[in-house]
Structures are given as structure tokens and as C-alpha cells.
Amino acid sequence: MDEQKTGLPQYPESFWLASAEIPSSGKLTADLSVDVAVVGGGITGITLAYLLAKEGQKVALLEAGRILTGTTGHTTAKVTAQHDLIYDEFIHHVGEEKARLYYDANRQAMDFIRSTVRELDISCDWAEEDAYVYTASEQNVAKIDKEWKAYEKLGIPGKRVNGIPLPIPGVLAAVAMTGQARFHPTAYLSRLVREFVGLGGQLFEETMAKTVEHGSPYSQVVTEDGHRVTCRNVASCTHFPFYGAGGFYFARMYSERSYALGVKRTQDYPGGVYLSADTPPRSIRTVSYGGEDLLVIGGERHKTGQGICTFQHYEALEKFAQETFGPAEIRYRWSAQDLTTLDKIPYVGRPVASERNAFIATGYRKWGMTGGTAAALLLKDLILGIRSPYEELYTPSRFHADPSVKEFLSLNADVAKHLIAGKLEWVRRDPEDLGNDEGAAVHVNGKRAGAYREPGGALHVLDTTCTHMGCEVEWNDGERTWDCPCHGSRFSFRGEVLEGPAKKPLKVIR
Ligand SMILES: Cc1cc2nc3c(=O)[nH]c(=O)nc-3n(C[C@H](O)[C@H](O)[C@H](O)COP(=O)(O)OP(=O)(O)OC[C@H]3O[C@@H](n4cnc5c(N)ncnc54)[C@H](O)[C@@H]3O)c2cc1C
Ligand code: FES
């Protein structure tokens, strides 16, 4: 990206964060002893903490920033086991039995959310609808047919149709999974947090877990402030695991960003949640808030740090909204990233077999509403010593040869490319050239650096070498962040870590 666009129109960044009363708490200020330390306040960590507290466990939930402001606060919140066109692929790559287990785990997760919403009478706009993957491309009709055959084989309730209820031009085929859902994730999870605290659970925000000192029977989670949480079990629900480097997760997952708009809806909506199988993909659902009906339009995915100018992603979504539903009045706009594993099945369980009391959950491939809930249900069983039919499917120490090897090689080739190409890049600009609210790669003393000038004129110049493994970070003009193309770490314009795997800030030059 050479030139940076500036002056992006401002909108509230996420419908879910703007429209929910999210509980808050103070930071951890002393050492603590509990049964389980759950780290990460997104859907996985909150659901797990709630489940364990219900079982009478003494649980501390540690969150580096504010709960729910990670990927969970920036989702599109379809609750479905229809994770794109995946079941035909799974049958071929991991076999029919595991493909069925994957479906069962996600359907059970959906059942759990549904029954919890009913049991606790949670106001979170839970609505059951059919989920569709559609195509308007001749080339992809065969893929839809294969997916429908996989549904029939696995006994997944659904239908193969030639059109969809939405007015999208040119749709040729679709596969529907019946009885799926959508909801308001932060309203649902805020209630689980209140229940967790009511059950005696302890929540600590602004508390970053730095490392785990493993022991038997007790381990210790050490926080950035140097406090220690002594526990029998520790679970990393931090999106990218904050420990378990022995499992080489940075080389076994990649991070993809996606974009979403909340657009005022002016036409009747026929129901359903939708995803296109075409390129670029589009995701559609509806939501009501404050007397207004909104469409949540998502899509425009790319590997973190490797996209075009962020502004253009939002423009593309706006254009699609206009072409499909008429004039688009934007109310909200956000983007976020999620991690994909080598075989597209999340890593949930012990990061390395020898660490019996340490667990991770990650890699939901943008399907973490059911995926994160399924992970929490599995981790609850593993922590309580209950056998689960899903343990082997999700075990993080698995290694499937196909398509893992190909992906593994291409991931590492990608990293090598960014390690080398970033260093050799010839940067023409000087920090002093930047206008207000502009960021770019610049040269300082003959070396590549990164600079951003705040709207008030203050200039921040950083070393663009990622503190994880040394790739060169790229400027993200939509969010005023530095994003790493290799494993998805993100840093603020001041250099602070926003998302791992990096743990140390970028070096400040001036
Ligand atoms: C644009 C987009 C649309 C999506 N749409 C859907 C959808 O429609 N349906 C669906 O099922 N899924 C969807 N997903 C995926 C889903 O939102 C995610 O998979 C899910 O929210 C991930 O939850 P999580 O708990 O793993 O992570 P997060 O919500 O990111 O939570 C992790 C938390 O851990 C904290 N943390 C990190 N490191 C530390 C540390 N060292 N110490 C303490 N805390 C730490 C972070 O601050 C963060 O709050 C979408 C994703 C994206 C990006
Ligand atoms: S080098 Fe791994 S995230 Fe940057």
C-alpha cells in the first residue's frame, strides 16, 4: 500500500458494543488462589468460567483489557453449524465420523445457547431462522451440490434450493440448514458474566496474563503486573494462546480480517441468515435496535496485514448493500480478525500432551459463536475429568497430513516472504511529510520505520519490526494500527500490543 487514505467517515465501531450494558471490574492487585484460572473475556472464556462456576469450582476470569471487546464484540453473531461449505471437505479430509462429530459439537453448542437463553430469560434477540450458503456463479453450483450430498450423508436437516428468499440477483443454487439462529452476543454474554459473579466467580479486567509456571498439582499464572494466580487448571481462551509455544501455534494458524457494516434497513426482510460461496464472500443478517431495523453486511476477508487500503473494503460492502437493498445509510462499521487452523477444525484441549492441567481453545475460522461455546463445553468436561466424544476431534496436538502439509508449507513460505520482502522494501516517504491523521511506512536514517501523525499534529515514529518473530508490520488506516502480515499481531500507533502472539510493544523511535 503506497499512499494512505485519510479522513475516513466516523461511525460507532460495533453495534454489539454500542448497544449492550457490559459489566466491568477492577484489575487484579494481589496474589490469588483458585481452582481454575480462565484467561480471556470473549465468548469462550466467559462461557467456560460460567460453566465451571455452576459446577462449584472457584474460578478467576482474567482479561487483559475490557471483556467482550475482542473478536466477540466485533462478530456478526450468526449461531449456526453451517460454517460455509465445509462438510463435504471434512468428509474427504478427516472422514465421515469426524465430520459428523464436528456437526454434533456445534449443534449441541447451539442447543446450549438456546436453553441458556430460555432458562435465564435473557433478552438477546434470539431468533431462529434458516441459514443459507448461496452462489451466483456457475462454477460453484457443483460445490453446493456436493455440500448437499454431505448433508444427506451426515443427516443434517436442510434443503437444496435454486433460489433464496433475499433479492440477490443471479442466484443459481443454495444449500440451507434449517433451524439455525442469530442473537445479540454481548447482551447474552453480559448476563453470563453477571451469573458467574453471582455464583462466586471473580472477574479481573486490565489484567494481562504473561506466562504460566507449570507445576503439579498447582500451576501459577503470572500477570504483567507480577501477581500470581495459583490454580489446579489454567485455560487460555485468549484467541491466540498466550502460552503453549511448544505447540508452534504461530506456524499452525493464520489470521484473517473481515469487515462489517450496520446499515439502516428500508425494505421488508424475508428472514434467514446468508453467506455467499462466491468471491468476495458476503454475509447478511438482520437486527433491530432502538426502533430501527438494521442489516449487518459482512465480508471482504484478507490475511491480517495483507489487505488493500481498509477504506476500500468498507466501500465495497457499502456498494453491495446499495445494489442489493437500495440506498445504504450506514449506522455502524467495524472490522476484526479470527484464526484458522491447518485443517479448519479448532484447537481445543491440552496444548502439548505433557501439560495435563493446561488448556487452550482457538482457531474458530469466524464461527466462534458455536465454536467457542463447543470449546467451553469440551474444556469444562476435560477440567472436571469427564470423558467427551469430542476430545480427539479437537485435540491441538493432532496433525492431519492432508491438507495440513500443503497449508503448513504455504503459511511458512508466506512468513518467509514477509520477513524478507518487508526488510527490502524501498520506502520513499519521510515522517515529516505526513499530514494530520495519516500513517505510513517511512524511512529514518536509511531504515524502514512507521509513522503516524495524530489529528492534533503529534507525530509517533516506531520501529516496524514485529516483536514476535521479526516480520515488518503494515499500516491499517481504518483502525490506525500496525498489523503484522505473518501471524496477525496488531499494535496501536503508539506501539502497544493490541493482539498477540506478540507480547512486547514495538520499539519507539521518537
Ligand atoms: C468479522 C467477523 C464476523 C464473525 N461472524 C461470526 C458469526 O456470524 N458467527 C460465528 O459463529 N462466529 C463469527 N465470527 C467469529 C467469532 O466472532 C469468533 O470466533 C469469537 O468471537 C472468538 O471468541 P474468543 O473468545 O476466542 O476470542 P475473543 O472474543 O477475541 O476474546 C479473547 C479475549 O482474550 C483477551 N486476551 C488476549 N490475550 C490475553 C492475555 N494474555 N491475558 C488476558 N486476556 C487476554 C483479549 O483481550 C480478548 O478480550 C466472526 C468473526 C469476525 C472477525
Ligand atoms: S512476526 Fe509473528 S506476528 Fe509478527
Side-chain angles (χ1 to χ4, degrees):
M1 216 190 310
D2 259 338
E3 298 295 327
Q4 308 297 330
K5 279 224 181 198
T6 57
L8 281 172
Q10 297 295 306
Y11 299 99
E13 67 141 358
S14 161
F15 173 79
W16 316 117
L17 295 175
S19 61
E21 280 181 31
I22 298 172
S24 64
S25 91
K27 61 182 352 197
L28 181 68
T29 54
D31 292 356
L32 189 68
S33 198
V34 290
D35 295 322
V36 188
V38 177
V39 185
I43 188 164
T44 317
I46 290 173
T47 309
L48 177 61
Y50 165 73
L51 286 167
L52 290 168
K54 255 182 94 176
E55 295 290 335
Q57 295 280 300
K58 196 172 167 195
V59 182
L61 176 59
L62 313 181
E63 162 57 47
R66 280 277 284 125
I67 55 165
L68 292 173
T69 56
T71 308
T72 301
H74 299 86
T75 179
T76 46
K78 298 172 180 171
V79 186
T80 174
Q82 188 186 59
H83 295 177
D84 206 339
L85 301 178
I86 196 69
Y87 290 102
D88 176 60
E89 184 177 326
F90 278 168
I91 288 172
H92 285 94
H93 290 150
V94 295
E96 191 174 324
E97 193 188 328
K98 285 196 170 135
R100 187 172 289 110
L101 276 174
Y102 182 90
Y103 170 73
D104 287 346
N106 285 283
R107 189 187 40 75
Q108 278 177 18
M110 201 173 84
D111 292 345
F112 169 81
I113 299 175
R114 181 198 292 112
S115 63
T116 307
V117 169
R118 286 186 185 153
E119 188 190 317
L120 300 178
D121 194 19
I122 306 177
S123 289
C124 61
D125 301 330
W126 175 266
E128 303 208 357
E129 305 196 312
D130 294 345
Y132 294 83
V133 181
Y134 66 87
T135 181
S137 148
E138 287 283 356
Q139 276 177 328
N140 288 336
V141 173
K143 285 192 192 164
I144 297 276
D145 288 334
K146 281 186 188 165
E147 189 72 356
W148 172 237
K149 283 214 170 74
Y151 280 28
E152 288 185 312
K153 199 177 256 183
L154 299 175
I156 298 175
K159 54 193 175 195
R160 158 72 172 82
V161 286
N162 291 329
I164 56 172
L166 270 191
I168 295 180
V171 172
L172 297 169
V175 60
M177 196 179 279
T178 45
Q180 306 302 291
R182 58 180 169 85
F183 75 156
H184 189 313
T186 54
Y188 165 75
L189 290 163
S190 292
R191 179 62 186 281
L192 292 202
V193 173
R194 287 193 195 95
E195 290 291 317
F196 164 69
V197 172
L199 290 162
Q202 299 179 77
L203 167 66
F204 299 100
E205 293 184 304
E206 306 294 334
T207 302
M208 178 182 275
K210 265 288 189 208
T211 183
V212 179
E213 290 178 4
H214 297 282
S216 182
Y218 297 104
S219 296
Q220 289 195 324
V221 178
V222 185
T223 70
E224 193 177 36
D225 292 345
H227 298 301
R228 287 172 177 267
V229 181
T230 304
C231 53
R232 276 186 185 276
N233 291 287
V234 51
S236 171
C237 307
T238 50
H239 210 216
F240 200 99
F242 79 96
Y243 64 80
F248 290 101
Y249 292 99
F250 56 83
R252 295 171 58 201
M253 289 194 288
Y254 65 89
S255 175
E256 234 182 34
R257 287 195 79 72
S258 282
Y259 299 77
L261 295 179
V263 179
K264 187 178 171 189
R265 174 158 73 75
T266 49
Q267 296 178 3
D268 285 346
Y269 190 84
V273 299
Y274 300 86
L275 183 70
S276 74
D278 305 333
T279 306
R282 297 286 179 249
S283 156
I284 305 156
R285 59 160 285 185
T286 185
V287 69
S288 296
Y289 175 60
E292 200 168 58
D293 293 321
L294 300 174
L295 291 162
V296 180
I297 310 267
E300 290 292 301
R301 66 181 178 213
H302 63 81
K303 279 196 183 169
T304 302
Q306 299 185 25
I308 52 170
C309 182
T310 309
F311 189 59
Q312 292 170 20
H313 293 296
Y314 288 120
E315 279 181 338
L317 289 184
E318 189 177 350
K319 187 163 174 273
F320 171 78
Q322 266 165 6
E323 284 169 359
T324 314
F325 301 100
E329 277 182 47
I330 299 171
R331 293 283 189 269
Y332 298 88
R333 186 187 70 195
W334 65 91
S335 76
Q337 65 196 42
D338 210 5
L339 295 151
T340 299
T341 68
L342 296 182
D343 58 9
K344 301 186 180 166
I345 297 170
Y347 297 136
V348 185
R350 295 178 178 88
V352 282
S354 57
E355 288 168 8
R356 300 301 299 162
N357 301 330
F359 303 88
I360 61 160
T362 187
Y364 307 125
R365 201 174 57 90
K366 299 193 193 128
W367 296 108
M369 297 297 104
T370 56
T373 304
L377 289 163
L378 170 55
L379 288 190
K380 186 260 297 173
D381 283 351
L382 295 180
I383 287 170
L384 297 180
I386 300 166
R387 285 192 72 82
S388 164
Y390 307 117
E391 182 172 352
E392 194 194 330
L393 173 74
Y394 285 113
T395 185
S397 51
R398 71 184 182 272
F399 191 86
H400 296 298
D402 184 14
S404 308
V405 171
K406 216 168 70 204
E407 273 290 335
F408 184 84
L409 294 176
S410 88
L411 276 182
N412 286 302
D414 220 24
V415 169
K417 185 179 93 188
H418 285 280
L419 265 168
I420 297 160
K423 311 273 177 219
L424 297 179
E425 182 187 349
W426 172 244
V427 186
R428 283 169 284 133
R429 302 190 74 181
D430 188 276
E432 305 309 326
D433 299 342
L434 295 183
N436 287 357
D437 196 18
E438 188 177 10
V442 294
H443 64 85
V444 174
N445 298 331
K447 285 196 187 144
R448 187 187 197 266
Y452 171 67
R453 192 184 292 284
E454 289 191 63
L459 184 66
H460 303 267
V461 186
L462 304 167
D463 184 336
T464 48
T465 309
C466 178
T467 55
H468 177 230
M469 286 177 69
C471 290
E472 292 294 305
V473 294
E474 297 289 344
W475 180 242
N476 173 342
D477 61 338
E479 282 145 298
R480 280 69 166 170
T481 57
W482 292 100
D483 297 355
C484 182
C486 288
H487 313 108
S489 289
R490 295 179 61 237
F491 303 85
S492 75
F493 62 75
R494 291 191 178 82
E496 300 133 344
V497 178
L498 298 175
E499 290 190 53
K503 291 185 179 169
K504 290 191 190 143
L506 294 177
K507 199 169 136 203
V508 175
I509 296 177
R510 71 171 120 123

